[in-house]
Amino acid sequence: MPTNVERYQRIARFYDFLDLPFEHGRYRRIRPLLFDGLSGRILDAGVGTGRNFEFYPHGASVVGIDFSSAMLEQARRRIGRSTTAVELKEMDVTRLDFPSDTFDGAVATFLFCVLPDDLQVVALRELRRVVKPGGTIRLLEYVRPHGSLRRVIAAIWEPWMAWAYGASFDRRTEEHMQEAGLEIVEARYVVGDLVKLILARIPS
């Protein structure tokens, strides 16, 4: 079975094409929620092909990381769409090569639904370490839907998501926040009962 890095190395060239219906159907309207009110130095963890670039806050300084060099190659082709300074680095969110308290905030877009359960707390603690006290971590994540129709659709899509992206609807990221030393400020659905925006704060 391929590792997640191998999956994204394989799929990088086709990622935007495969994601196109979702990007224009739902993602573009919710991406700005990650950056509302953020400023200063921001970490974009799991930057992927750079779909967040055009939503970065004007005047901020952003570092985008991804564990896939092929995804970063695609992101570099899109970097001109950002209105702020962007630096891209190949890096694993579970082993961040930054000093503590480097960033004013961090975001991750559909990253934690890819991380297996045993790495959830590890990754959250790393984000907590590199974000300054009082700063925020903001996540957009898929969750297991409750509605009957969406549950059926999710069950149909899940084998494909697992094979192509290594993703699951059953990651319990929100439940791991407290164990990682984070305070949940807000957790709300932004696409039906399928996608959640989770805002967590680094204790001062």
Side-chain angles (χ1 to χ4, degrees):
M1 180 172 292
T3 65
N4 277 345
V5 174
E6 290 169 340
R7 284 187 177 95
Y8 284 88
Q9 290 292 96
R10 175 187 65 199
I11 206 171
R13 286 181 297 167
F14 316 105
Y15 186 91
D16 285 343
F17 174 76
L18 293 171
D19 232 30
L20 195 63
F22 305 103
E23 183 65 33
H24 289 278
R26 60 175 67 134
Y27 297 162
R28 285 186 63 81
R29 67 179 176 84
I30 60 177
R31 289 185 190 276
L33 300 174
L34 288 170
F35 302 102
D36 186 28
L38 279 188
S39 61
R41 191 161 170 79
I42 301 168
L43 175 65
D44 189 346
V47 69
T49 63
R51 286 290 195 180
N52 283 335
F53 285 172
E54 60 191 283
F55 304 106
Y56 288 163
H58 184 70
S61 172
V62 183
V63 178
I65 66 162
D66 204 282
F67 62 8
S68 166
S69 59
M71 293 290 279
L72 289 173
E73 183 180 344
Q74 299 301 312
R76 289 188 182 95
R77 299 176 181 180
R78 182 174 275 123
I79 206 164
R81 300 188 185 186
S82 175
T83 60
T84 193
V86 183
E87 183 180 4
L88 297 175
K89 291 179 176 286
E90 186 177 341
M91 198 179 299
D92 189 329
V93 70
T94 65
R95 297 186 301 275
L96 294 175
D97 188 21
F98 299 112
S100 298
D101 303 340
T102 296
F103 298 96
D104 298 293
V107 303
T109 313
F110 310 120
L111 169 63
F112 280 83
C113 59
V114 172
L115 292 178
D117 291 336
D118 62 328
L119 295 180
Q120 293 274 317
V121 173
V122 177
L124 288 170
R125 283 177 175 165
E126 275 293 88
L127 291 179
R128 180 187 186 276
R129 181 182 66 80
V130 301
V131 175
K132 298 173 184 177
T136 59
I137 296 170
R138 304 180 180 190
L139 312 178
L140 281 173
E141 289 301 333
Y142 277 100
V143 296
R144 176 71 61 183
H146 302 295
S148 299
L149 179 58
R150 283 196 187 272
R151 287 184 71 86
V152 170
I153 294 172
I156 293 170
W157 272 99
E158 198 154 24
W160 159 253
M161 289 178 58
W163 179 82
Y165 305 111
S168 170
F169 292 106
D170 291 324
R171 310 301 188 205
R172 302 194 310 278
T173 307
E174 188 177 344
E175 297 175 26
H176 293 310
M177 291 285 184
Q178 185 174 1
E179 185 180 353
L182 296 166
E183 300 173 353
I184 294 180
V185 176
E186 183 181 12
R188 63 184 172 95
Y189 291 106
V190 290
V191 177
D193 59 351
L194 185 64
V195 178
K196 264 191 171 182
L197 173 69
I198 305 171
L199 277 64
R201 179 178 171 273
I202 314 301
S204 300

